């Protein structure tokens, strides 16, 4: 199948308006007859489900947590971008568009990003109307802060809990529709397969996680709003339950998976403290405004610190390497995420890392405290310092923080066209689950924007284009053979998992996979490592199906089984990520191939050959997937080299 | 560090449960409480026993999913902290730690330490929102809000819906949770149109779910991981009385 991105014709700034003027509508009487399945209740899913129900569609909403309010979006801290220009500092829709395309290292679709920037202003209006308590100035108007990759203040925030407040707004809108009977909510339900009939998405198989019962649900359309797959690395800043299963089942039923290798690794996270570690905690990027990043100049000093013979304060000023300031004098400690992360890794690979494990660098506030006083630092970062102290039992006012990069966000995801429809008609992907707007690197505060844009303002229009052709389609009874077969496959997979009765726990396998991914498909990749990783993943997958031990039964509440099924899919996804990383013989954004760097170690893009989206089609596990290219056409911005020297 | 754990094991909502003893050794003091539970579970799996079921997701104190009643306290011994934010160094070496689910008639046990808190969702569905559909909003800065009011609304909106307030209360009252949402919206101009119906409907749903009544013991405030203040309960009471006795 050829990839048709369905980008509307016309000038960039008019595309979305023209599209909305022409898109087919569904009349209210017909909407009532059309059923939509929304999987996921994060910002993307909750906003989509609520809005579609308000329009009159019959909606079923699913999440695996015990309440839609607990989707992983709840954990976002920093803020959400919008081109409101309330600060009068020169912001505009075009600038937000341009910053996002540049931040993505020129690997995203112009038309999508422009639409995102356009609707960003409506998002803020909608959220305020819902009662989202954004931060305000004394005059009562909305406050903004600055974020990485931009020279204007366009980030709206609600203390350090922006994601929570935005999600509660969407959740409350969703609960309102549930109360009105327009949405039926299925919490503690996990989608375990997609049902495709005559080439169209027609429903899902879901497991009731409390009873273990498998259920069949029909829908005229299915929306996947199931988040990112960063947990393929085992350790990440994602919530424990975040997983790829829904997207992966869709991939295996014909939806293309785009740019799976684009992963964002965030530079400032609390380092791993031991092999029992279950997840990593993000420390806000804002700390780099006042903190200075360093490691000892010599391996000997670093070793002395690791062994506890020296303290960081024992290292004289002249014996410290403030490597970001040294390498990037004009951006210094505020170098972008991908570059800062890679530099930290280089320092540690060089044997100069600190902390017991040697996998940490210092983020030091001593100078700032001397210059500004402890009070100022406390006012700026008090809650973050407290959180750090609480987790590590070290006081960052006295000793420098230890930080290390961690997996944070996945730019890759299910391929979608301009209408957010996947390569399977009737199947859509929204939010972090799709690949669409962030290219090879996401800017801070744009994921929340994208999730809400997709759910509140894009899908309610674009879905009409498809559903207007479905008004004569009767609900398909769920005893249809396609439902039977999908359910049988799920049932068989579950009973296989339970019957292996091997010796290793699911976590054992997950940790091993995470290590392979981190070592070979993490911050720096090369052909040799990736090729090796592919073999290792295959072997690990084989071993998993021979030696995993899953306890409990299929027909009961069984978190061990849930985890096993998710890890089984991660073991397949990992191989695709490696393949995609091998294919892309260039460095761009979050994808750094060591073979492709400039003389001074910077990423080297290859625009001539790789200005495209790699969309992979599944051909069975034993065969290589087929790659479809969507060429990215830049009509409005000029491709440029990102430099931060 | 070494610990003796007494953990509530219950197969499902219909079975009876009981406390079962486990010992765990070589615990790193820097482990989080839930990581200690992971280690225990990994061992149980390898021994062929069923691991202990418990709810958790973000492990950062924000999703409200984790919910353990530890040594007689909802979310354990630390103030202003969720279960997932506890570290083993917060406990004494050699200590016996008793771990139970959040208990309330309105929160039936699903298995072991997992309980069903969907009653909270139904209370929100009864009125915990501003009835504005997508696309109906005016410009965000058209509604200035006094900073002090906005901050108070944010304080109340910080509730994570964990249910510790219910578990801590001898009457299983959900007043702190309900009052947090009522306050958040009553403090903002956007919440005014539905101010009366909201509080009446939410309180009615709360009663229907089987939560007990509030006798002002303030146990809820003491255990709330987000520091939601009981002044919100006073506001809820005022809002409720005003709404009940108003003419329209
Ligand atoms: C610590 C942290 C901080 C962040 N801070 C920011 C920030 O400040 N600004 C910003 O813009 N972005 C931030 N991000 C990124 C942003 O939070 C996420 O990208 C975004 O919230 C994803 O939203 P979503 O709706 O796509 O998915 P999610 O919120 O992840 O929701 C996924 C939903 O899908 C459901 N689901 C998944 N699989 C299944 C299945 N098989 N069956 C049923 N249901 C399923 C889940 O239950 C859940 O409801 C942050 C991310 C992290 C990890
Ligand atoms: S009021 Fe506090 S204890 Fe109760 S649900 Fe909210 S956060 Fe939890
Ligand atoms: S796991 Fe999210 S609050 Fe504890």
């Amino acid at each position: 199948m050829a990839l048709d991105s369905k980008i509307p014709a016309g000038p960039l700034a008019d595309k979305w308006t023209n599209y909305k003027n022409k898109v087919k509508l569904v009349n209210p009487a017909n909407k009532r007859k059309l059923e939509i399945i929304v999987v996921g209740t994060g910002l993307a899913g909750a906003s989509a489900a609520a809005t579609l129900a308000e329009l009159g569609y019959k909606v079923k909403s699913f999440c695996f947590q015990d309440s839609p309010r607990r989707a992983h979006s709840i954990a976002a801290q920093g803020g959400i971008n919008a081109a409101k220009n309330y600060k009068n500092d020169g912001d505009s829709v075009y600038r937000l568009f341009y910053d996002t395309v540049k931040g993505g290292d020129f690997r995203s679709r112009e038309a999508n990003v422009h639409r995102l920037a356009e609707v960003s202003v409506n998002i803020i209006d909608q959220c305020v109307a819902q009662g989202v308590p954004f931060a305000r100035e004394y005059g009562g108007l909305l406050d903004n802060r600055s974020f990485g990759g931009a020279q204007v203040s366009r980030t709206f925030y609600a203390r350090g809990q922006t994601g929570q407040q935005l999600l509660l707004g969407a959740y409350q809108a969703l609960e309102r529709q549930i109360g009105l009977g327009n949405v039926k909510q299925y919490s503690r339900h996990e989608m375990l397969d997609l049902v495709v009939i005559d080439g169209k998405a027609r429903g899902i198989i879901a497991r009731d996680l409390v009873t273990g019962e498998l259920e069949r649900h029909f829908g005229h359309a299915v929306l996947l709003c199931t988040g990112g797959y960063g947990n393929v690395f085992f350790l990440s800043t994602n919530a424990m339950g975040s997983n790829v299963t829904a997207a992966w089942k869709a991939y295996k039923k014909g939806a293309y998976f785009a740019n799976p290798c684009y992963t964002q690794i965030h530079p400032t996270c609390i380092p791993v403290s031991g092999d029992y570690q279950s997840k990593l905690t993000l420390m806000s990027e804002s700390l780099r405004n006042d903190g200075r990043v360093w490691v000892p100049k010599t391996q000997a000093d670093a070793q002395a610190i690791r062994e506890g013979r020296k303290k960081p304060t024992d290292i004289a000023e002249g014996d410290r390497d403030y490597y970001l300031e040294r390498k990037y004098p004009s951006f210094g400690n505020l170098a972008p995420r991908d570059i800062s992360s890679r530099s930290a890794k280089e320092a540690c690979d060089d044997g100069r890392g600190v902390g017991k494990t040697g996998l940490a660098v210092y983020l030091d506030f001593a100078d700032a405290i001397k210059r500004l006083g402890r009070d100022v630092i406390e006012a700026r970062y008090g809650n973050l310092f407290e959180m750090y102290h609480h987790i590590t039992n070290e006081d960052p006012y006295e000793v420098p923080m230890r930080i290390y990069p961690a997996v944070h966000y996945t730019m890759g995801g299910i391929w979608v066209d301009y209408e957010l429809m996947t390569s399977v008609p009737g199947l859509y992907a929204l939010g972090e689950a799709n690949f669409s707007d962030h290219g090879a690197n996401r800017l801070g505060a744009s994921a929340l924007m994208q999730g809400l844009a997709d759910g509140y303002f894009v899908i309610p229009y674009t879905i009409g284009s498809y559903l207007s052709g479905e008004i004569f389609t009767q609900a398909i009874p769920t005893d249809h053979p396609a439902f039977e077969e999908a359910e049988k496959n799920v049932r068989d997979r579950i009973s296989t998992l339970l019957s292996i009765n091997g010796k290793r726990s699911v976590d054992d396998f997950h940790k091993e996979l995470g290590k392979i991914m981190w070592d070979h498909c993490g911050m720096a990749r090369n052909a040799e490592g990736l090729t090796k990783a592919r073999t290792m993943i295959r072997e690990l997958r084989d071993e998993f199906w021979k030696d995993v031990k899953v306890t409990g039964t299929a027909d009961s509440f069984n978190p061990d089984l849930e985890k096993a099924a998710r890890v089984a899919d991660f073991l397949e996804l990992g191989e695709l990520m490696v393949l995609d990383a091998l294919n892309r013989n260039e460095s761009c954004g979050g994808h750094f191939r060591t073979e492709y760097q400039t003389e001074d170690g910077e990423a080297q893009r290859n625009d001539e050959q790789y200005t495209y989206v790699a969309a992979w089609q599944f051909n069975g596990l034993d065969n290589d997937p087929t790659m479809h290219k969507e060429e990215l056409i830049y009509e409005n911005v000029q491709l440029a080299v990102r430099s931060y020297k | 560090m070494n610990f003796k754990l007494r953990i509530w094991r219950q197969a499902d909502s219909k079975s009876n449960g009981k406390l079962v003893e486990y010992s765990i050794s070589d615990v790193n003091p820097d482990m989080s409480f839930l990581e200690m539970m992971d280690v225990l579970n990994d061992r149980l799996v390898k021994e062929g026993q069923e691991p202990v079921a418990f709810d958790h997701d973000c492990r950062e104190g924000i999703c409200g999913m984790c919910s353990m009643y530890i040594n007689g306290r909802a979310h354990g011994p630390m103030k202003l902290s969720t279960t997932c934010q506890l570290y083993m160094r917060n406990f004494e070496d050699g200590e016996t730690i008793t771990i139970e689910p959040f208990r309330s008639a309105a929160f039936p046990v699903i298995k072991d330490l997992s309980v069903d808190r969907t009653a909270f969702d139904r209370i929100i569905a009864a009125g915990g929102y501003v009835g504005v559909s997508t696309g109906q909003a005016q410009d965000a800065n058209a509604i200035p809000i006094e900073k002090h009011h906005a901050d108070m609304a944010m304080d109340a909106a910080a509730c994570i819906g964990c249910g510790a307030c219910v578990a801590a209360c001898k009457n299983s009252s959900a007043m702190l949770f309900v009052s947090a949402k009522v306050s958040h919206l009553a403090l903002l101009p956007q919440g005014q149109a539905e101010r009366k119906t909201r509080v009446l409907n939410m309180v009615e749903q709360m009663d229907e779910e089987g939560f007990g009544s509030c006798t002002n013991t303030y146990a809820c405030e003491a255990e709330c991981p987000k520091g939601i203040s009981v002044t919100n309960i006073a506001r809820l009471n005022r809002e409720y009385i005003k709404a009940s006795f108003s003419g329209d």
Side-chain angles (χ1 to χ4, degrees):
Chain A
M1 191 184 96
L3 278 180
D4 178 4
S5 57
K6 296 200 212 140
I7 296 172
L12 181 66
D14 299 340
K15 284 180 195 286
W16 179 232
T17 309
N18 290 344
Y19 176 90
K20 285 192 292 184
N21 287 340
K22 293 198 193 116
V23 68
K24 290 201 191 108
L25 300 173
V26 180
N27 81 32
N30 285 330
K31 283 196 183 110
R32 279 196 292 276
K33 290 187 240 153
L34 293 169
E35 298 176 47
I36 302 176
I37 289 175
V38 181
V39 189
T41 60
L43 289 181
S47 60
T51 306
L52 293 169
E54 286 161 9
L55 289 173
Y57 293 109
K58 271 168 54 181
V59 176
K60 287 181 173 181
S61 154
F62 294 80
C63 68
F64 62 73
Q65 291 92 347
D66 71 335
S67 162
R69 67 180 288 154
R70 306 205 205 281
H72 170 55
S73 295
I74 201 94
Q77 306 165 350
I80 176 167
N81 286 332
K84 277 287 196 187
N85 194 26
Y86 281 160
K87 292 282 161 195
N88 197 28
D89 58 359
D91 199 10
S92 65
V93 165
Y94 184 82
R95 274 191 201 276
L96 174 53
F97 154 75
Y98 183 80
D99 288 347
T100 308
V101 169
K102 179 182 170 203
D105 217 353
F106 305 96
R107 289 292 176 267
S108 48
R109 226 186 248 153
E110 278 191 340
N112 281 56
V113 179
H114 199 275
R115 174 177 68 190
L116 175 65
E118 285 175 58
V119 304
S120 69
V121 297
N122 307 113
I123 294 173
I124 302 303
D125 296 343
Q126 186 61 32
C127 296
V128 167
Q130 291 169 341
V132 169
F134 282 122
R136 288 181 182 263
E137 299 172 342
Y138 283 101
L141 301 179
L142 292 161
D143 193 18
N144 290 122
R145 53 165 70 142
S146 311
F147 243 66
Q151 290 166 307
V152 295
S153 271
R154 62 160 76 100
T155 306
F156 294 78
Y157 65 101
R159 294 205 184 132
Q161 291 123 278
T162 315
Q164 178 197 30
Q165 294 308 317
L166 294 174
L167 183 59
L168 291 182
Y171 158 75
Q172 286 163 203
L174 173 64
E175 286 297 336
R176 172 171 167 246
Q177 294 304 314
I178 293 170
L180 293 169
N182 301 329
V183 176
K184 192 153 169 30
Q185 174 63 32
Y186 296 84
S187 297
R188 291 201 198 260
H189 273 67
E190 182 157 16
M191 166 183 165
L192 292 178
D193 208 357
L194 176 74
V195 177
V196 178
I197 299 176
D198 297 332
K200 291 178 174 176
R202 291 303 189 193
I204 63 168
I205 305 296
R207 180 167 181 268
D208 178 333
L209 299 180
V210 175
T211 62
E213 207 174 314
L214 296 182
E215 298 173 358
R216 306 171 186 186
H217 296 273
F218 164 81
H220 289 88
V222 176
L223 275 50
L224 299 185
C225 314
T226 47
Y229 50 85
N231 277 347
V232 66
F233 291 86
F234 185 71
L235 287 178
S236 82
T237 62
N238 290 7
M240 299 299 289
S242 298
N243 70 85
V244 77
T245 290
W248 197 250
K249 301 302 184 196
Y251 167 67
K252 291 172 96 170
K253 285 282 171 84
Y256 298 169
F257 210 111
N259 301 333
C261 79
Y262 288 165
T263 316
Q264 179 162 82
I265 300 191
H266 198 292
T268 54
C269 300
I270 299 179
V272 176
S273 69
D275 56 9
Y276 50 78
Q277 188 112 9
S278 59
K279 75 154 285 169
L280 296 170
T281 305
L282 181 76
M283 295 302 290
S284 170
E285 189 164 74
S286 62
L287 290 167
R288 288 196 282 142
N289 279 295
D290 287 304
R292 296 179 71 194
V293 178
W294 66 274
V295 290
K297 270 192 184 153
T298 65
Q299 295 175 345
D301 274 346
Q303 193 174 355
I305 290 179
R306 289 197 293 271
E307 290 168 0
R309 287 182 281 115
K310 276 190 181 171
K311 291 201 286 289
T313 40
D314 296 337
I315 310 294
E317 197 58 28
D319 296 328
R320 300 176 177 193
D321 179 14
Y322 294 92
Y323 58 83
L324 286 177
E325 298 172 21
R326 171 171 59 79
K327 295 200 312 200
Y328 308 99
S330 64
F331 273 70
N333 295 298
L334 278 174
R337 288 180 179 177
D338 45 351
I339 290 179
S340 310
S341 292
R342 225 160 38 237
S343 301
K345 175 178 159 41
E346 277 164 20
C348 296
D349 287 352
D350 189 31
R352 296 185 297 137
V354 297
K356 277 183 205 141
T357 58
L359 288 176
V361 300
Y362 287 129
L363 181 62
D364 198 336
F365 292 85
D367 282 353
I369 292 173
K370 224 180 286 164
R371 182 164 39 95
L372 303 164
R374 185 181 158 128
D375 292 354
V376 174
I377 294 300
E378 194 168 335
R380 280 188 196 164
Y381 311 111
N383 60 336
L384 293 170
F385 274 46
E386 226 171 85
M387 179 164 105
Y388 180 86
H389 192 163
H390 185 73
I391 293 177
T392 62
N393 209 23
E394 285 174 4
D395 180 1
Y397 292 104
E398 302 296 328
V399 288
M401 281 187 183
R402 289 173 293 111
I403 55 161
Y404 199 66
V407 173
H408 182 55
Y409 182 88
T410 49
M411 281 75 69
I414 298 285
W415 183 88
V416 290
D417 62 21
Y418 187 74
E419 298 183 319
L420 304 183
M421 186 144 91
T422 69
S423 49
V424 177
L427 179 70
Y428 293 79
L430 283 67
E432 194 174 337
N434 73 25
F435 88 105
S436 71
D437 299 351
H438 307 294
N441 175 54
R442 176 179 70 79
L443 287 184
S446 344
L448 303 183
M449 169 172 73
Q450 184 224 332
L452 290 180
D454 288 358
Y456 283 136
F457 296 108
V458 178
I459 195 73
Y461 288 94
T462 59
I463 204 165
S465 163
Y466 175 76
L467 288 180
S468 57
E470 292 290 326
I471 53 180
F472 298 114
T473 307
Q474 301 285 319
I476 298 173
T478 53
D479 56 7
H480 186 284
F483 276 98
E484 298 269 355
E485 194 196 321
E487 186 186 310
K488 183 177 178 302
N489 289 342
V490 172
R491 194 178 300 283
D492 290 349
R493 195 167 165 97
I494 288 175
S495 40
T496 309
L497 283 170
L498 286 166
S499 66
I500 296 167
N501 204 11
K503 283 188 282 306
R504 293 180 62 184
S505 68
V506 176
D507 274 354
D508 265 8
F509 284 100
H510 197 178
K511 284 181 187 175
E512 191 172 334
L513 172 68
K515 185 159 171 17
I516 298 173
M517 296 304 293
W518 180 249
D519 288 347
H520 301 293
C521 197
M523 274 185 282
R525 305 143 177 206
N526 58 53
E528 194 195 329
L530 289 165
T531 311
K532 200 162 83 187
R534 188 169 184 201
T535 315
M536 289 164 82
I537 296 169
R538 287 186 161 209
E539 284 168 5
L540 186 65
R541 196 164 66 216
D542 287 346
E543 204 187 321
F544 175 90
W545 287 103
K546 278 189 214 121
D547 200 25
V548 73
K549 172 138 196 140
V550 186
T551 55
T553 59
D555 55 359
S556 66
F557 185 58
N558 189 346
D560 198 30
L561 174 64
E562 292 163 30
K563 209 161 51 176
R566 293 171 192 163
V567 171
D569 292 335
F570 279 139
L571 282 162
E572 296 176 7
L573 164 74
E575 189 182 350
L576 185 68
M577 290 172 71
V578 163
L579 207 65
D580 186 47
L582 259 176
N583 169 70
R584 191 165 284 277
N585 291 311
E586 64 164 350
S587 296
C588 59
H591 169 66
F592 188 80
R593 284 277 302 267
T594 53
E595 306 99 310
Y596 306 101
Q597 49 181 313
T598 61
E599 261 170 32
D600 39 9
E602 300 303 329
Q604 198 160 43
R605 274 196 341 249
N606 179 344
D607 291 338
E608 208 149 291
Q609 286 177 298
Y610 289 96
T611 310
Y612 66 76
V613 175
W616 299 90
Q617 179 187 5
F618 184 68
N619 288 326
L621 273 185
D622 297 328
N623 308 306
D624 280 356
T626 309
M627 199 247 292
H628 300 270
K629 285 185 191 175
E630 180 198 335
E631 297 292 343
L632 292 167
I633 297 156
Y634 286 91
E635 290 171 337
N636 300 275
V637 302
Q638 186 124 35
L639 275 62
V641 177
R642 290 159 84 217
S643 168
Y644 299 94
K645 296 250 165 200
Chain B
M1 302 172 93
N2 303 318
F3 298 97
K4 199 191 292 166
L5 306 172
R6 296 168 67 228
I7 303 178
W8 186 261
R9 303 299 311 253
Q10 179 172 341
D12 52 46
S13 58
K14 288 174 214 91
S15 319
N16 290 325
K18 62 169 196 285
L19 285 167
V20 177
E21 266 191 32
Y22 302 90
S23 43
I24 183 160
S25 45
D26 294 329
V27 173
N28 186 318
D30 288 333
M31 264 184 200
S32 75
F33 195 82
L34 295 186
E35 282 165 354
M36 183 276 294
M37 294 294 292
D38 292 341
V39 171
L40 174 73
N41 275 346
D42 205 61
R43 187 183 90 200
L44 293 180
V45 169
K46 284 172 182 158
E47 291 169 1
Q49 301 186 52
E50 263 205 68
V52 182
F54 62 90
D55 281 324
H56 65 107
D57 200 22
C58 74
R59 297 202 176 187
E60 288 186 6
I62 192 72
C63 74
M65 189 107 177
C66 60
S67 48
M68 294 185 190
Y69 197 75
I70 301 165
N71 288 343
R73 295 185 62 182
H75 290 310
M78 295 274 291
K79 270 196 102 60
L80 296 176
S81 153
T82 53
T83 302
C84 62
Q85 292 175 301
L86 295 173
Y87 286 82
M88 295 320 292
R89 65 179 103 90
N90 303 139
F91 296 83
E92 299 287 328
D93 193 11
E95 192 180 337
T96 300
I97 307 175
T98 306
I99 311 169
E100 295 167 89
F102 279 6
R103 293 191 194 280
S104 158
F107 290 167
V109 171
I110 293 174
K111 183 174 181 175
D112 300 338
L113 306 170
S114 286
V115 298
D116 178 349
R117 289 169 288 188
T118 48
F120 273 11
D121 291 327
R122 291 187 290 272
I123 294 175
I124 298 295
Y129 49 75
V130 173
V132 53
S133 294
T134 305
Q136 297 177 332
Q138 56 186 329
D139 183 81
N141 259 351
I143 331 171
I145 302 175
E146 205 195 319
K147 186 170 174 359
H148 176 61
H149 275 149
D151 286 345
M152 282 203 308
M154 178 65 215
D155 288 341
C159 163
I160 58 173
C162 62
C165 46
V166 175
C169 175
K170 66 177 169 40
N171 309 320
S172 289
S173 163
M175 285 289 270
L176 195 62
F177 167 77
V178 176
S179 72
K181 189 47 62 191
V182 166
S183 294
H184 161 207
L185 298 175
L187 282 161
L188 295 174
Q190 301 93 305
Q192 298 311 307
E194 294 150 302
R195 188 163 174 175
K196 289 177 188 162
T197 47
R198 174 181 308 117
V199 66
L200 294 176
N201 291 342
M202 287 179 76
V203 168
E204 186 185 321
Q205 187 66 37
M206 174 180 85
D207 291 341
E208 213 164 283
E209 297 290 348
F211 292 104
S213 48
C214 172
T215 53
N216 299 316
T217 65
Y218 302 158
C220 53
E221 184 188 70
E223 301 295 22
C224 171
K226 296 294 139 181
I228 303 295
S229 155
V230 288
T231 56
N232 290 301
I233 297 185
R235 187 180 293 104
L236 168 61
N237 285 329
R238 285 198 303 276
E239 292 287 322
Y240 186 76
I241 290 167
K242 257 196 283 179
S244 307
F245 293 100
S246 71
D248 51 50

